[in-house]
Amino acid sequence: MSRTYVDPASITPARVRLSLFALAIGAFGIGTTEFVAMGLLPDIARDLLPDVYATNPELANSHAGWMITLYALGVVIGAPTIAAGVARFSRKTVLFWLAVAFTVGTLATAVLPSFGWILAARFLAGLPHGAYFGIAALVAARLMGPEKRGRGITLVMTGLTVSNVIGVPLATSIGQSMGWRAAFLLVAGIFALTAVAVALVIPRVKGNSEQTLRRELTVFKRPQVWFAIGIGAIGFGGFFAVYSYLAPLGTDVAGIDPAHIPWLLATMGLGMTIGTLAAGHFVDRSVRRTLYGYFLMMVVVLIGLYFAAGWAPSLFIFIFLVGFASSGIGPAVQTRLMDVAGDAQSIAAALNHSAMNIGNAVGAFLGGLVIGAQLGYRAPIWVGLALTIAGILIVMASYRAQRHLAPHERV
């Protein structure tokens, strides 16, 4: 990779599009590796926990959900520490090595022999997640310019949502027919392709050569940063409480054939993709209205999902709506964090994914808890509703607290 830095303003529109596409490939891989376990939980549980599955399938599925929780915890820990530590390096170099790390971690998940080792591999595979998205968001925002930064961020995150239309259903189908390990081998290949694409097309954009780990960590002194983290960590947990157990909700509640679960996942992903693309325009107009609008939509949709989950056609409709309603929260929180973080942009951009994956861990854990308590596969929907309402309350508290700031400090 060249050592010559490039002025983003001098890059041609075609190179910008190629760069955004390369970043989106990585997001596609991340979305696939993060969410594919959700569609394969019964397969993973049967293979890695056969004794438990034979006597109590619900308990085995909830234990297999630890793969989701451990990956999410890896994101939570890795996002701020890696992003803060690499803030002064070339964005391209950092993105390349993060893609390599993803490849190694996902490959380890596919080949390690026991449940304990696989849990460790999932934790390690999660470490580069937030840093990749954070750095990719900064690169996209610089390439698109300040007036279109929301659209730049959402174009990268579209790779994440498209993964739920194509990557997750495809990997789930492969996992069901060839074994769940084959699905993770496919994802490792996507990350290897990402590393090549980053090396070939991403311009060499400077990091902040004067930035230090200590300076980046000062972001945690800002109350509005904590509010934004809370919005993602609690509010977005409502989505993961439902998504983590979507496969058994479809098979055991709606009576869907397991072979059709990839179509249910694709329906969720289609809703997420459309919602994300719409959110980019809304975020550029008003982050505040975007947060309120998507959260309130999520409340209505989750209530509808509870009553619609018993019939396959209505489940598909409401799963699409859940995907749409949830998808605007991520770009809005991402932009909010970048607005309130001051100079600590690298760690702020990554903290969004720490927040989201705290939500992932909390949602998956609480959802598994109510399932393990024999409350059924609809019970995580009420968990999701409670977390979503809590997210709305945190948004309200954040903007109420902002009123006490000086006018020039408000965003």
Side-chain angles (χ1 to χ4, degrees), residues 321-360:
L321 295 174
V322 168
F324 184 94
S326 66
S327 61
I329 299 170
V333 175
Q334 179 85 80
T335 306
R336 177 69 176 167
L337 274 165
M338 292 166 67
D339 283 341
V340 300
D343 294 333
Q345 290 291 298
S346 293
I347 192 170
L351 280 172
N352 180 44
H353 299 280
S354 279
M356 296 300 176
N357 279 273
I358 292 172
N360 190 341

Side-chain angles (χ1 to χ4, degrees), residues 45-78:
R46 275 194 300 268
D47 182 42
L48 297 178
L49 302 165
D51 295 337
V52 179
Y53 193 88
T55 58
N56 191 337
E58 289 187 347
L59 183 62
N61 282 333
S62 68
H63 285 180
W66 294 347
M67 286 182 65
I68 301 167
T69 301
L70 265 294
Y71 180 90
L73 290 176
V75 180
V76 172
I77 294 170

Side-chain angles (χ1 to χ4, degrees), residues 135-402:
I135 301 300
L138 291 175
V139 171
R142 288 193 67 183
L143 292 176
M144 293 291 284
E147 294 182 356
K148 296 181 179 180
R149 62 180 185 146
R151 272 164 276 187
I153 292 169
T154 53
L155 284 172
V156 172
M157 294 188 74
T158 298
L160 179 67
T161 59
V162 170
S163 72
N164 288 278
V165 181
I166 301 172
V168 175
L170 176 62
T172 301
S173 181
I174 290 172
Q176 289 175 336
S177 60
M178 301 175 62
W180 67 269
R181 294 177 186 272
F184 284 93
L185 287 174
L186 171 66
V187 179
I190 295 171
F191 285 129
L193 176 62
T194 300
V196 173
V198 168
L200 292 178
V201 304
I202 299 294
R204 194 170 174 83
V205 180
K206 281 186 178 182
N208 186 344
S209 59
E210 298 180 356
Q211 198 71 332
T212 64
L213 177 61
R214 184 175 181 179
R215 185 177 296 176
E216 284 281 324
L217 291 177
T218 61
V219 74
F220 292 110
K221 295 180 180 179
R222 295 172 175 259
Q224 284 297 329
V225 168
W226 285 106
F227 277 120
I229 291 172
I231 294 167
I234 304 301
F236 206 61
F239 167 74
F240 284 111
V242 175
Y243 195 11
S244 298
Y245 302 96
L246 184 56
L249 180 69
T251 55
D252 289 38
V253 177
I256 296 172
D257 189 296
H260 296 155
I261 290 301
W263 292 107
L264 188 62
L265 296 169
T267 301
M268 172 78 85
L270 183 62
M272 292 173 69
T273 301
I274 296 172
T276 298
L277 291 172
H281 296 277
F282 296 143
V283 167
D284 282 332
R285 289 175 172 83
S286 171
V287 173
R288 181 177 185 172
R289 287 197 295 270
T290 302
L291 285 169
Y292 278 124
Y294 275 84
F295 266 127
L296 290 171
M297 194 188 317
M298 189 72 170
V299 168
V300 174
V301 168
L302 286 176
I303 293 172
L305 175 63
Y306 181 84
F307 295 102
W311 187 44
S314 59
L315 176 62
F316 272 86
I317 292 170
F318 274 89
I319 284 302
F320 172 87
L321 295 174
V322 168
F324 184 94
S326 66
S327 61
I329 299 170
V333 175
Q334 179 85 80
T335 306
R336 177 69 176 167
L337 274 165
M338 292 166 67
D339 283 341
V340 300
D343 294 333
Q345 290 291 298
S346 293
I347 192 170
L351 280 172
N352 180 44
H353 299 280
S354 279
M356 296 300 176
N357 279 273
I358 292 172
N360 190 341
V362 169
F365 174 76
L366 293 179
L369 203 63
V370 295
I371 290 171
Q374 307 296 312
L375 296 179
Y377 288 117
R378 289 183 197 242
I381 299 173
W382 291 121
V383 173
L385 182 63
L387 292 172
T388 301
I389 292 172
I392 295 173
L393 295 176
I394 298 171
V395 174
M396 294 173 64
S398 173
Y399 283 101
R400 183 176 293 274
Q402 185 173 271

